[in-house]
Amino acid sequence: MLLVATYSREARTSLRNVCRSHEAATVRQFGRAALLADTEFGAFLALRLREKHGGDVQIERTRPLNEYESVPEPVREAATAYAAREQPSTPYAKFAAGTDHPEPAAMRGREL
Amino acid sequence: MGVAVRDGGGRLLGDGRAVDLRAAGVDAETIRAAIRGSSTRVTVDCPTPSRWWGRLCSPGDGTDALDRVVAAARSRGHRPAVERELAAAERALRELSVESVDTDATRRRLADAGTEVERLREEVATARGRLQSRRELGADTTEAEAALGEATRRLSEAETELVAARQAHEEAQRRAREAREARERRLRLQDRVANRRRDARRALATRVREPFDDAVDAVPGEATLSTEPLEVAGCEVTAALAAIRIAHLDAPVVDATDRFAGASAAASALDVPVIRV
């Protein structure tokens, strides 16, 4: 999908108008950003906005994350375990210390 | 206090608190310019117009009714507390510099480099195939070998360019991300300015709501000022006249509305010198 984020009031207004007039091509609208369909028409709408508002419009291409495909198992397990921790106030770094769960710094250094 | 209107030659066209120029054939725009001191055809001796005069001086000229009410409140010296925050936000917005975040050139270079590498990979494969089949046929391979060598060399160059293009694009993207921080701040400031401006207008309108209602009773027609939602309903000209009545204006008003029997009726209802055109 195409993520369109806006950085000025004018660009935000244009984006809202586009989403309102093209509901079929709008997957989701969030205030100053929107997800447009991954179609030529979605790209057309996004590029039209960038033509009009230049650097105030950011366009990124997104895809759904399949964690079973792209995220290593220890990371997934750490997320599950941390979400189920007993002490809600424990920061992750402390939670992971002395366990098999990956260190935050190590995770930061590895790209998916 | 009265005003005096003269033509370009210094001949008196009218004076006093109520001047009727309908017979003189002078239009409203000329009179407004003369009041601002920028007409050569006509001169108006009167106090210098205040900064709110422009929005109030011509009832029926299409100026937004709420803008008029807000200008009238300011002319009375009202300064809502929120204006200090508004001024601070406006200053911050003016001082914020926003860098350009255009990555168009590096995107295009990267895409072109990718296409070129694809094309040359196919060319190398073709050249390799040709060389292979000539070997199998036992034919002369000099030319085919040279062609493969040349294609391989060009592919290697293109791959180098692709790496460079990717690095350049990543660098441009990083700069763009940083520049977007400033745009992010700018958007927040723009929103703050808009909100504070709305708050200031609401506060000003609220301050003059009662005088405005009273003023409407003193001029022809009906209009009401409400603050929730913030709007002026009813006749636009009536609202304009009421705003003039509550405003503190020294410079004369230019009336072309036909709402009053004459210039003196207008001057006494509006409580300001009137030039009728």
Side-chain angles (χ1 to χ4, degrees), chain A residues 78 81-97 99 101 104:
Chain A
Y82 185 57
R85 70 192 177 279
E86 277 170 18
Q87 287 296 325
S89 58
T90 313
Y92 177 72
K94 199 175 158 205
F95 176 84
T99 70
H101 296 307

Side-chain angles (χ1 to χ4, degrees), chain B residues 130-142:
Chain B
R130 199 178 305 124
L131 176 62
Q132 187 66 30
S133 61
R134 290 191 75 82
R135 269 191 192 134
E136 282 163 11
L137 289 170
D140 178 31
T141 58
T142 325

Side-chain angles (χ1 to χ4, degrees), chain B residues 140-215:
Chain B
D140 178 31
T141 58
T142 325
E143 220 172 275
E145 269 172 33
L148 176 59
E150 172 63 15
T152 308
R153 187 187 59 75
R154 288 213 314 257
L155 173 60
S156 152
E157 274 175 17
E159 281 168 342
T160 308
E161 161 61 10
L162 180 59
V163 170
R166 188 167 292 134
Q167 279 171 355
H169 183 56
E170 278 165 11
E171 172 59 21
Q173 275 185 311
R174 191 188 57 73
R175 279 200 311 273
R177 261 196 300 279
E178 283 172 13
R180 284 198 189 99
E181 301 281 314
R183 281 173 199 250
E184 187 87 40
R185 274 199 300 282
R186 185 182 59 183
L187 180 58
R188 277 201 297 272
L189 282 171
Q190 286 173 339
D191 282 342
R192 188 183 305 163
V193 165
N195 290 337
R196 296 297 175 274
R197 202 168 275 162
R198 208 172 306 132
D199 293 346
R201 285 165 68 82
R202 181 181 302 277
L204 287 163
T206 306
R207 285 296 295 269
V208 295
R209 207 163 107 191
E210 279 180 29
F212 182 86
D213 286 347
D214 295 343

Side-chain angles (χ1 to χ4, degrees), chain A:
Chain A
M1 284 174 290
L2 301 174
L3 172 69
V4 181
T6 58
Y7 292 83
S8 71
R9 289 171 67 84
E10 297 76 20
R12 182 174 62 190
T13 303
S14 293
L15 176 66
R16 284 177 183 163
N17 289 340
V18 162
C19 291
R20 202 172 308 130
S21 336
H22 303 285
E23 278 180 23
T26 306
V27 180
R28 198 72 73 215
Q29 216 237 304
F30 322 90
R32 41 181 288 231
L35 279 172
L36 302 183
D38 197 31
T39 60
E40 286 189 4
F41 192 66
F44 165 75
L45 295 175
L47 289 175
R48 222 181 60 186
L49 285 167
R50 183 152 68 195
E51 275 305 309
K52 192 169 168 198
H53 299 286
D56 287 339
V57 173
Q58 177 187 7
I59 308 173
E60 302 286 342
R61 199 166 181 187
T62 68
R63 54 174 187 266
L65 173 74
N66 182 348
E67 69 274 39
Y68 300 105
E69 201 173 69
S70 337
V71 183
E73 200 176 351
V75 178
R76 285 188 269 126
E77 282 174 356
T80 309
Y82 185 57
R85 70 192 177 279
E86 277 170 18
Q87 287 296 325
S89 58
T90 313
Y92 177 72
K94 199 175 158 205
F95 176 84
T99 70
D100 287 342
H101 296 307
E103 292 283 326
M107 290 195 284
R108 276 186 205 106
R110 288 193 291 262
E111 283 192 21
L112 280 186

Side-chain angles (χ1 to χ4, degrees), chain B residues 88-116:
Chain B
E90 282 175 330
R91 194 173 335 109
L93 190 57
R94 267 197 309 277
E95 285 166 4
L96 189 73
S97 68
V98 171
E99 245 187 283
S100 156
V101 294
D102 193 5
T103 57
D104 191 76
T106 58
R107 280 200 303 274
R108 186 179 292 262
R109 181 181 166 196
L110 180 59
D112 287 349
T115 311
E116 184 66 0

